[in-house]
């Protein structure tokens, strides 16, 4: 029993201890809670203080705003009650406006056939893309080749067509030219025939005239015989004379008829001849107009042994000078002036070719003034002689004077003119005169014109192909 | 040129005065010079050997030259007529200077410019070894503005400038070389231009025919000397 009591006592003591412990714990807990409450309270107090401060600040701000507004004569009514706590708004950072993005480049239109599977993003390094690119390039090359071939075919066809057309045209022109030349030759033949016919007709007329005269004479004789017979009273004689007179009148009539016929033939032949002549002239004119470049051949001009030696150089420079300094007016003084150029032939002849194109009159006049000064220097026999002598070698004044016969002032006059246009020059120390390159060319020009004139005169005097007719009325 | 030497030139203030103006035509009848009264002649020395080799002429000097010949193509060349204020003359024995033309005079006060002119030359042709037949009959004139080099011989005259060389020998031979081209006229009057001469060999031959000296010797030395003039 006692043990039970002791146990019970121990248990009671333990229980009491536990109770104490529990009390302590609850006390501690209460204290802890109390501490916690105190902390919270302080926190709360602090937050209350903060809130109070915030309120005060807000109140002040609002009052300030109100005063500002009032000063601005704007009524600002703050609807919200000032007691309520204004939520704290953190200041927003000013964010710089973003740059406007560049507009995207417009995508190139791609035919869907070229890029198969062009959907969404392309992987340029993928095998598919590379293969498709290769295919594309191959197709492009093929198309280019086909295009070239087609272009070539087209050009070939065109050239052939053009060639054909040109050939036809050339043939037509040739035929036209041939026809006109053939016709011309035929006409010339006919003219010759008519010429002989006219001559024959003329001869006939002369013969018939002679027979007419003879018949008239016979008639006169027959008449005289008749009269004599009448006077004699011889009837037989009268009869004979009558018959003779009748024959003579018949002959006279025949002769007159023949002459009339011959005259008619002659006039007809003349008419035909004139017509053929006019036709021939027209063909000749047409040919000369349409026949291309009118070549005026100078021919081989032998101006001494020196000419053949340096003919190429001098004549080429001469031709160039002619081209640049001499232009011939072709249209009889009209506004349009055709330029004339020269070119060297293979044989060394100068070919003067007319070509179209009008030039400025003012420029032309200026050029001509200068040219006139140059050419007037050549317009004197003595000056040409001086140039010719100096062409061989330089000379002193004394030698030149002896050869030309010019003395003192006259020589000076001519030499000054030549020096002014730079045809001759003079040494400073010795005083010899020398001819310049320009002087040589000017001299050649003068000689060329002289020989050309001679050649043309020779052409005029030649007998071939000229129609020379004497027609007596 | 063979025998080219590097030497220093100096000029001494012992002038001679030209007593009267006169003209002189060289024997070749190609070049004529005119000298004026009161011009001064200063002796030019080779410093090393201390030997006078020429003169520095201060005073206008006119040079007239007929560098023009007759060819198949007409007159070719140039008529030269210019006056120079200062020239250097070589050698000492000049055909146009004699005691009749000059007399002693007092030294000049401002002598430095003359020394400057002469000091620019540090290469001189050794005339004794120039290879020309008769040295005493050759005259070398070096002008200042423009800088030209005249070589006057008994039968020819050669004008060597920066950009061209013109030479005439005798009555008929002529040569003109420049950047623009080359023209030669031989004794027969045959005219040839650069267009005709396509080979360097021909050019050299033509030069030799006219000048009588190989082209390379003459030209390179002249070029070297003229490089010092600038």
């Amino acid at each position: 029993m006692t043990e039970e009591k002791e146990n019970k006592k121990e248990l009671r003591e333990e229980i009491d201890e536990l109770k104490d412990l529990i009390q302590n714990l609850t006390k501690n807990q209460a204290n802890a809670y109390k501490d916690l409450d105190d902390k919270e309270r302080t926190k709360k107090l602090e937050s209350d203080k903060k809130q109070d401060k915030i309120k005060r600040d807000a109140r002040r701000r609002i009052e300030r705003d109100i005063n500002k507004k009032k000063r601005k004569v704007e009524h600002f009514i703050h609807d919200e009650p000032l007691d309520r706590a204004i939520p704290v708004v953190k200041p927003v950072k000013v964010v710089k406006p973003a740059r406007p993005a560049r507009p995207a480049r417009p995508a190139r239109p791609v035919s869907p056939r070229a890029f198969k599977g062009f959907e969404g993003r392309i992987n340029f390094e993928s095998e598919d893309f590379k293969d498709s690119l290769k295919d594309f390039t191959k197709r492009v090359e093929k198309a280019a080749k086909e295009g070239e071939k087609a272009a070539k075919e087209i050009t070939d066809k065109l050239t052939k067509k053009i060639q054909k057309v040109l050939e036809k045209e050339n043939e037509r022109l040739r035929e036209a030219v041939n026809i006109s030349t053939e016709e011309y030759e035929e006409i010339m033949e006919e003219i010759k025939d008519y010429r002989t016919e006219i001559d024959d007709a003329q001869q006939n007329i002369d013969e018939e005239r002679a027979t007419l005269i003879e018949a008239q004479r016979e008639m006169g004789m027959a008449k005289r015989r008749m009269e004599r017979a009448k006077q004699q009273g011889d009837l037989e004689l009268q009869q004979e004379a009558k018959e003779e007179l009748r024959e003579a009148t018949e002959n006279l009539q025949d002769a007159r008829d023949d002459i009339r016929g011959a005259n008619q033939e002659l006039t007809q032949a003349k008419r035909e001849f004139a017509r053929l002549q006019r036709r021939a002239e027209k063909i000749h004119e047409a040919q000369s107009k349409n026949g291309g470049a009118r070549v005026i051949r100078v021919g081989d001009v032998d101006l001494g042994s020196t000419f053949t030696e340096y003919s190429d150089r001098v004549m080429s420079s001469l031709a160039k000078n002619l081209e640049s300094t001499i232009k011939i007016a072709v249209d009889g003084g009209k506004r349009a002036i055709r330029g004339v150029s020269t070119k060297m032939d293979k044989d060394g002849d100068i070919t003067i070719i007319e070509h179209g194109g009008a030039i400025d009159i003012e420029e032309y006049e200026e050029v001509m003034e200068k040219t006139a000064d140059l050419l007037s220097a050549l317009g004197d026999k003595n000056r040409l002689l001086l140039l010719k002598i100096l062409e061989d070698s330089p000379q002193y004044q004394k030698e030149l004077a002896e050869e030309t016969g010019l003395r003192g002032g006259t020589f000076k006059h001519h030499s000054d003119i030549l020096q002014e246009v730079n045809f001759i020059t003079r040494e400073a120390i010795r005083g010899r005169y020398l001819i310049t390159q320009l002087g040589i060319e000017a001299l050649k020009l003068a000689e060329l014109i002289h020989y050309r004139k001679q050649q043309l005169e020779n052409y005029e005097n030649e007998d071939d192909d000229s129609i020379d007719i004497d027609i007596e009325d | 040129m063979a025998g080219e030497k590097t030497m220093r030139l100096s000029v001494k203030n012992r002038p001679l005065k030209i007593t009267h103006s006169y003209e002189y035509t060289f024997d070749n009848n190609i070049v004529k010079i005119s000298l004026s009264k009161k011009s001064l002649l200063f002796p030019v020395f080779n410093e090393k050997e201390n030997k006078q080799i020429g003169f520095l002429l201060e005073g206008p000097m006119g040079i007239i030259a007929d560098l023009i010949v007759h060819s198949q193509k007409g007159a070719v060349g140039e008529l030269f007529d210019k006056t120079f204020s200062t020239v250097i003359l070589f050698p000492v024995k000049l055909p146009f200077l004699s005691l009749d033309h000059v007399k002693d005079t007092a030294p000049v006060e401002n002598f430095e410019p003359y020394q400057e002119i002469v000091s620019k030359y540090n290469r001189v042709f050794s005339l004794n070894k120039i290879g020309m037949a008769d040295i005493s009959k050759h005259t070398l004139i070096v002008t200042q503005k423009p800088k030209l080099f005249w070589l006057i011989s008994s039968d020819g005259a050669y004008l060597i400038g920066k950009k061209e060389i013109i030479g005439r020998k005798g009555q008929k031979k002529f040569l003109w070389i420049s950047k623009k081209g080359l023209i030669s006229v031989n004794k027969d009057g045959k005219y040839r231009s650069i267009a005709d001469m396509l080979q360097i060999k021909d050019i050299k031959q033509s030069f030799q025919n006219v000048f009588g000296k190989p082209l390379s010797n003459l030209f390179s030395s002249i070029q070297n000397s003229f490089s010092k003039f600038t």
Side-chain angles (χ1 to χ4, degrees), chain B residues 32-135:
Chain B
K32 180 164 78 172
I33 57 168
S34 59
L35 298 160
S36 69
K37 191 176 171 182
K38 296 184 186 175
S39 299
L40 298 175
L41 281 164
F42 297 93
V44 172
F45 283 80
N46 174 1
E47 273 191 357
K48 277 187 184 173
E49 294 173 17
N50 201 18
K51 191 176 157 187
Q52 188 183 352
I53 56 167
F55 289 98
L56 170 70
L57 173 70
E58 170 66 22
M61 176 179 175
I63 301 177
I64 301 166
D66 284 334
L67 297 173
I68 185 167
V69 297
H70 178 75
S71 74
Q72 286 172 352
K73 264 199 164 186
V76 179
E78 195 183 328
L79 290 173
F80 189 93
D81 187 353
K82 265 200 170 108
T83 306
F84 303 93
S85 56
T86 312
V87 299
I88 300 177
L89 306 165
F90 302 99
V92 175
K93 200 173 175 186
L94 291 161
F96 51 87
L97 281 182
S98 68
L99 292 170
D100 295 334
H101 301 105
V102 298
K103 69 175 185 185
D104 279 322
T105 188
V108 297
E109 286 177 5
N110 189 13
F111 188 60
E112 282 170 7
Y114 304 116
Q115 284 174 321
E116 270 180 42
I117 291 168
V118 168
S119 66
K120 283 178 190 172
Y121 302 103
N122 61 5
R123 277 175 195 259
V124 168
F125 299 108
S126 174
L127 300 176
N128 293 328
K129 293 179 186 175
I130 205 167
M132 292 180 182
D134 192 351
I135 273 299

Side-chain angles (χ1 to χ4, degrees), chain B:
Chain B
M1 238 178 237
E4 174 199 299
K5 277 188 185 175
T6 307
M7 61 169 75
R8 288 200 70 79
L9 300 181
S10 64
V11 63
K12 299 205 173 163
N13 197 356
R14 294 201 308 252
L16 298 169
K17 195 181 195 176
I18 293 176
T19 52
H20 58 277
S21 303
Y22 65 99
E23 287 179 346
Y24 175 81
T25 305
F26 286 86
D27 292 340
N28 55 27
N29 273 328
I30 295 172
V31 182
K32 180 164 78 172
I33 57 168
S34 59
L35 298 160
S36 69
K37 191 176 171 182
K38 296 184 186 175
S39 299
L40 298 175
L41 281 164
F42 297 93
V44 172
F45 283 80
N46 174 1
E47 273 191 357
K48 277 187 184 173
E49 294 173 17
N50 201 18
K51 191 176 157 187
Q52 188 183 352
I53 56 167
F55 289 98
L56 170 70
L57 173 70
E58 170 66 22
M61 176 179 175
I63 301 177
I64 301 166
D66 284 334
L67 297 173
I68 185 167
V69 297
H70 178 75
S71 74
Q72 286 172 352
K73 264 199 164 186
V76 179
E78 195 183 328
L79 290 173
F80 189 93
D81 187 353
K82 265 200 170 108
T83 306
F84 303 93
S85 56
T86 312
V87 299
I88 300 177
L89 306 165
F90 302 99
V92 175
K93 200 173 175 186
L94 291 161
F96 51 87
L97 281 182
S98 68
L99 292 170
D100 295 334
H101 301 105
V102 298
K103 69 175 185 185
D104 279 322
T105 188
V108 297
E109 286 177 5
N110 189 13
F111 188 60
E112 282 170 7
Y114 304 116
Q115 284 174 321
E116 270 180 42
I117 291 168
V118 168
S119 66
K120 283 178 190 172
Y121 302 103
N122 61 5
R123 277 175 195 259
V124 168
F125 299 108
S126 174
L127 300 176
N128 293 328
K129 293 179 186 175
I130 205 167
M132 292 180 182
D134 192 351
I135 273 299
S136 62
K137 288 190 179 174
H138 286 80
T139 304
L140 305 176
I141 302 175
V142 183
T143 65
Q144 296 304 303
K145 288 176 186 176
K147 280 182 180 153
L148 299 171
F149 185 85
W150 285 92
L151 177 63
I152 302 166
S153 65
S154 57
D155 62 347
Y158 315 102
L159 167 58
I160 300 159
K162 261 191 188 177
K163 292 176 185 175
E164 59 186 358
I165 295 175
I166 309 173
R168 177 183 165 181
K169 188 172 181 182
Q171 295 287 315
K172 297 182 183 179
K173 284 187 181 175
F174 176 82
L175 184 72
W176 175 73
I177 303 171
S178 82
K179 278 184 199 176
K180 289 177 190 174
L182 190 149
I183 293 171
S184 84
V185 179
N186 66 6
K187 60 182 177 185
D188 301 326
K190 198 174 175 188
Y191 176 100
R192 291 173 80 190
S193 67
I194 192 72
D196 304 326
M197 302 183 214
L198 299 173
Q199 293 181 10
I200 299 290
K201 206 173 156 187
D202 287 342
I203 295 169
K204 278 188 179 174
Q205 196 58 46
S206 303
F207 201 92
Q208 271 173 243
N209 290 342
V210 175
F211 277 78
K213 280 294 290 176
L215 174 66
S216 53
N217 289 351
L218 183 64
F219 208 68
S220 60
S221 300
I222 289 169
Q223 258 189 331
N224 284 339
S225 301
F226 268 77
S227 67
K228 302 295 172 191
F229 285 3
T230 53

Side-chain angles (χ1 to χ4, degrees), chain A residues 251-296:
Chain A
N251 286 342
L252 186 66
Q253 199 60 41
D254 289 340
R256 277 188 182 147
D257 288 340
D258 288 340
I259 281 174
R260 204 177 291 122
N263 270 333
Q264 278 176 0
E265 279 177 20
L266 182 67
T267 46
Q268 206 174 353
K270 276 191 210 173
R271 217 178 281 135
E272 278 298 311
F273 180 81
R275 186 185 64 80
L276 287 168
Q277 206 178 359
R278 281 195 295 274
R279 179 99 185 101
E281 276 176 18
K282 275 185 185 170
I283 290 170
H284 185 68
E285 254 182 60
Q287 271 192 333
S288 64
K289 270 185 189 170
N290 299 329
R294 182 158 57 85
V295 174
I296 303 165

